[in-house]
Amino acid sequence: MTLDDFLAEMRAEIAAQMSEGSPFAELVFCEVVMQHLVDAGMTFEPVVCHFQGKVGNANLRLSGYAISDDADQLDLFVSLYEGFEALTPVQDQDSKTAAQQCVRFLELCAAGRLADKLDPSSDAHSLALTIREIYDGLEQVRVFVLTDGVAKSKSFKPRDVGGKSVRLEVMDIERLFRHRSEGKPRDELVVDFNEVSGSPLPCVFVPGETGDYDYALTAVPGEALRHVYEKFGPRLLEANVRSFLSVKAKGVNAGIQSTLRSAPERFMAFNNGIVLVADEMKLARAEDGSPGIVWLRGMQIVNGGQTTASLYFAKKKYPDTDLSKVRVPAKIIVMREEDPTKEEALVSDISRYANSQNAVRQSDLSANKPFHVDVERLSLTVYCPDGVGRWFYERAAGSYNTLLSREGTTPARLKALKESVPASRKITKTELAKYLMAWEVRPDVVSLGTQKCFDRFMTGLGEAEAAGNPIVPDPVFFKALVAKALVFKAVHKTARPLVSAFLANVAAYTVAVVAHSYREAFDLEKVWRSQGVSPQFVEQVEIWAREVNERLHETANGKMISEWAKRPECKEAMFSRPFSPPSVDVPETRRG
């Protein structure tokens, strides 16, 4: 796939999520890019929050935000979307202007000077209050400019806001393409040890005998590891374990910070070290003549994320911390496996065994669980009712693009492949969890975000298996999964023009209302056969989506909707009284 192809695919993806003549292309673009950043491990669960206004002579703009669970990291997003039909350069000045408008929004929020100028019922008002409340405790603040153009500069000089350094990054169509086409966000993570530590890292290098990996042992200078984390942040932490790591100084992290402060020269003796995987490693001679690591490409930390983050935050909180005496033991595994699916399986196994004595549960490293393998197998063998098309289950990240590259060897074959298995028929592991949990009337779990929803789903699978009732996917299960995906997509698309904010929460709760109201009367097989939903169903969804939106605001009592929707109390309050009974004769029901 070329960059031009990718732009065309993104335009099609945006169009597929919009109603006829809808003016919401920019909103869809922001959602698509922000969700990708989550999947790539570059941010936290995002919330769409479009705001544009003027305070004094300052123009303010915002498209969305993401706050870490510990409320110590904040990301703001601002769009620079033009709906380009062809690859088009974006001037740095335009990117800087968009970033500045978002930074100005942040400045006024941090100073407590914006909330009283906003509508108290708006999501921007809730965000302004939240930023003011958490700002002093923030350890990291970033502003992302999202654009469908090609930007010359991917980042700008950090800005100081209220005594905090705010990083400015640009996610343009080119950078997004590199992430999506490779199927892993690691390619941008290049660490040159000549730059960060002054010389190659002395190591013990052991060439792999099995052909799928090489091996090295080394000790990374603490200052070098701190610098790398400062540059790449949570992206260094392997996706399967990232959401379970905390950078707060509590428990084991408090002990790490204590050692750094009082006995840095003993850090290597006290610390178990870190485990890394990398896609490529360059060796040269270190100063003592031994093998040395010059650089790593695609470096990921699969064990030791707390150690790494604690180095960064200890130095940030206590600038006098001396990291020059700190060395961190490191085991480095360099991947040589060319098959992306097999590589992910190996990385998953490395993660599992490296974290076997930590709090990361086995169910969280689950790409190779029999359940997911079975769903993938079904996606390869169950054809749509037309006997030609299929749905694709992306068990391993990037496997859809691998399919296109492997089998679309000529323009004609690629075109035929995209027609039989279009991107709109792709279901990822986290999407599967979202669709099934919403249908099980657990919208509060869906509202937790992709990773936490997936974790809850996998925990449920494990509990069912332990109870002797394992879920074994078969063709009936797979067809029902696709039907639930079609229903969720239809609800999301229908609700978009009806609500001003918190679309993800409204969609999740509306799907739950559909499942709760129709129960067994809803014919998922009929949805599968038609590969879509009826106009009558859409009409009924419009009624319920409006009710859901009103009730979410009513029950929140001033709380931020995106946070309220995550709580079991919200689900209980939402379903404490009935929603209006179905008022449209929907063909998808068995009585219809």
Side-chain angles (χ1 to χ4, degrees):
M1 179 188 292
T2 66
L3 183 54
D4 294 274
D5 293 335
F6 177 71
L7 177 61
E9 184 181 280
M10 173 160 282
R11 286 176 54 81
E13 183 177 359
I14 292 171
Q17 294 191 36
M18 295 192 303
S19 306
E20 189 74 26
S22 170
F24 298 107
E26 182 176 2
L27 278 69
V28 177
F29 171 77
C30 291
E31 288 177 20
V32 168
V33 177
M34 288 192 295
Q35 188 56 52
H36 166 71
L37 293 179
V38 174
D39 296 338
M42 294 178 67
T43 189
F44 315 98
E45 288 299 329
V47 177
V48 175
C49 181
H50 278 269
F51 173 79
Q52 187 165 356
K54 195 167 186 176
V55 175
N57 294 323
N59 290 309
L60 315 180
R61 283 213 305 130
L62 180 74
S63 300
Y65 64 91
I67 302 173
S68 66
D69 289 342
D70 291 326
D72 57 1
Q73 299 176 71
L74 169 69
D75 291 335
L76 298 180
F77 307 96
V78 59
S79 67
L80 190 57
Y81 176 75
E82 299 291 347
F84 292 128
E85 297 183 3
L87 296 176
T88 306
V90 170
Q91 299 300 314
D92 279 355
Q93 186 55 52
D94 293 335
S95 298
K96 286 181 180 178
T97 298
Q100 174 58 29
Q101 291 174 343
C102 192
V103 168
R104 187 57 179 155
F105 176 91
L106 174 66
E107 288 174 335
L108 294 178
C109 289
R113 295 166 47 200
L114 185 60
D116 59 357
K117 296 180 174 62
L118 302 175
D119 179 354
S121 65
S122 70
D123 49 328
H125 178 268
S126 297
L127 175 61
L129 291 175
T130 299
I131 290 177
R132 179 67 198 99
E133 180 182 341
I134 69 174
Y135 198 75
D136 290 344
L138 290 174
E139 300 282 4
Q140 176 179 278
V141 186
R142 298 180 296 184
V143 168
F144 285 91
V145 177
L146 313 179
T147 177
D148 59 337
V150 179
K152 179 180 179 181
S153 299
K154 311 302 186 191
S155 63
F156 299 114
K157 182 179 178 181
R159 289 285 307 275
D160 183 275
V161 177
K164 298 186 183 297
S165 178
V166 177
R167 291 164 53 186
L168 308 180
E169 298 201 30
V170 180
M171 178 60 66
D172 67 344
I173 196 73
E174 187 175 52
R175 190 176 176 189
L176 187 63
F177 170 64
R178 287 203 297 268
H179 287 188
R180 293 275 282 262
S181 61
E182 291 297 328
K184 52 189 177 185
R186 305 199 299 259
D187 284 359
E188 290 186 350
L189 306 186
V190 179
V191 181
D192 188 326
F193 290 102
N194 281 326
E195 292 181 2
V196 298
S197 58
S199 65
L201 290 183
C203 72
V204 175
F205 177 70
V206 182
E209 296 181 358
T210 59
D212 51 3
Y213 73 91
D214 292 327
Y215 183 90
L217 286 175
T218 188
V220 182
E223 182 58 36
L225 203 54
R226 183 209 64 79
H227 174 83
V228 169
Y229 188 86
E230 180 179 47
K231 183 175 182 180
F232 296 116
R235 295 173 60 197
L236 282 172
L237 309 183
E238 199 274 323
N240 287 322
V241 300
R242 179 182 301 111
S243 60
F244 301 95
L245 301 173
S246 167
V247 298
K248 286 292 189 184
K250 51 192 175 186
V252 66
N253 295 335
I256 291 173
Q257 290 201 0
S258 175
T259 301
L260 291 172
R261 296 279 293 151
S262 61
E265 68 282 353
R266 295 187 176 181
F267 190 85
M268 188 165 179
F270 293 169
N271 191 265
N272 290 331
I274 61 178
V275 180
L276 312 175
V277 297
D279 294 322
E280 191 175 353
M281 177 170 68
K282 181 181 180 181
L283 292 173
R285 289 295 173 185
E287 292 179 347
D288 61 0
S290 64
I293 302 169
V294 179
W295 51 254
L296 294 171
R297 180 180 67 80
M299 170 176 155
Q300 291 271 277
I301 298 171
V302 297
N303 180 256
Q306 291 180 336
T307 295
T308 306
S310 293
L311 285 167
Y312 171 76
F313 286 108
K315 182 69 174 180
K316 190 176 182 68
K317 187 173 183 179
Y318 305 106
D320 62 337
T321 301
D322 183 8
L323 298 182
S324 65
K325 300 177 182 179
V326 174
R327 295 293 183 273
V328 182
K331 178 169 71 175
I332 301 174
I333 298 161
V334 183
M335 310 304 295
R336 293 170 57 189
E337 176 60 66
E338 295 184 0
D339 185 322
T341 302
K342 291 181 179 179
E343 179 182 298
E344 176 164 309
L346 179 56
V347 172
S348 178
D349 284 342
I350 293 168
S351 300
R352 181 170 69 249
Y353 291 116
N355 290 285
S356 61
Q357 296 183 20
N358 292 347
V360 181
R361 290 160 292 193
Q362 299 293 327
S363 61
D364 304 317
L365 305 166
S366 52
N368 301 294
K369 290 285 184 180
F371 172 86
H372 295 290
V373 174
D374 288 345
V375 175
E376 181 185 53
R377 175 181 50 78
L378 288 164
S379 75
L380 298 174
T381 56
V382 176
Y383 282 80
C384 295
D386 63 7
V388 177
R390 288 190 292 112
W391 281 72
F392 187 88
Y393 184 61
E394 192 170 56
R395 179 175 66 86
S399 57
Y400 177 76
N401 288 320
T402 300
L403 170 73
L404 298 182
S405 300
R406 186 176 65 243
E407 299 186 16
T409 52
T410 67
R413 287 181 179 177
L414 181 61
K415 180 181 178 183
L417 190 59
K418 286 185 174 181
E419 288 176 351
S420 63
V421 193
S424 59
R425 287 185 186 159
K426 179 180 73 174
I427 298 176
T428 66
K429 294 192 298 289
T430 54
E431 287 173 338
L432 172 145
K434 177 173 68 175
Y435 300 148
L436 297 184
M437 295 297 262
W439 195 259
E440 290 177 12
V441 194
R442 301 187 68 183
D444 51 330
V445 175
V446 177
S447 294
L448 290 172
T450 53
Q451 294 301 325
K452 290 184 179 178
C453 176
F454 181 72
D455 176 43
R456 295 285 186 90
F457 174 75
M458 290 305 300
T459 298
L461 278 186
E463 291 172 349
E465 185 174 352
N469 300 306
I471 298 176
V472 181
D474 58 13
V476 173
F477 172 91
F478 184 76
K479 292 177 181 179
L481 166 64
V482 169
K484 292 167 185 175
L486 288 166
V487 167
F488 196 104
K489 288 170 180 278
V491 169
H492 192 273
K493 184 175 180 178
T494 302
R496 182 184 301 283
L498 304 179
V499 299
S500 59
F502 310 113
L503 173 62
N505 307 120
V506 172
Y509 274 85
T510 302
V511 172
V513 171
V514 170
H516 185 265
S517 298
Y518 288 121
R519 300 183 187 274
E520 298 304 318
F522 196 85
D523 192 346
L524 291 168
E525 174 68 23
K526 190 170 292 186
V527 176
W528 162 261
R529 288 197 302 270
S530 62
Q531 289 292 293
V533 298
S534 66
Q536 296 94 319
F537 176 76
V538 170
E539 186 179 345
Q540 180 61 55
V541 165
E542 288 178 347
I543 296 171
W544 280 332
R546 287 190 175 94
E547 289 183 34
V548 164
N549 186 48
E550 291 173 4
R551 197 172 293 186
L552 273 173
H553 283 81
E554 172 193 326
T555 57
N557 290 321
K559 303 182 189 73
M560 188 176 286
I561 300 296
S562 57
E563 293 303 312
W564 169 239
K566 299 175 182 178
R567 296 167 59 175
E569 300 94 314
C570 176
K571 174 189 165 183
E572 183 179 342
M574 290 290 287
F575 288 91
S576 62
R577 65 183 192 275
F579 285 85
S580 65
S583 59
V584 180
D585 187 10
V586 173
E588 286 84 356
T589 59
R590 291 187 173 85
R591 62 175 178 273

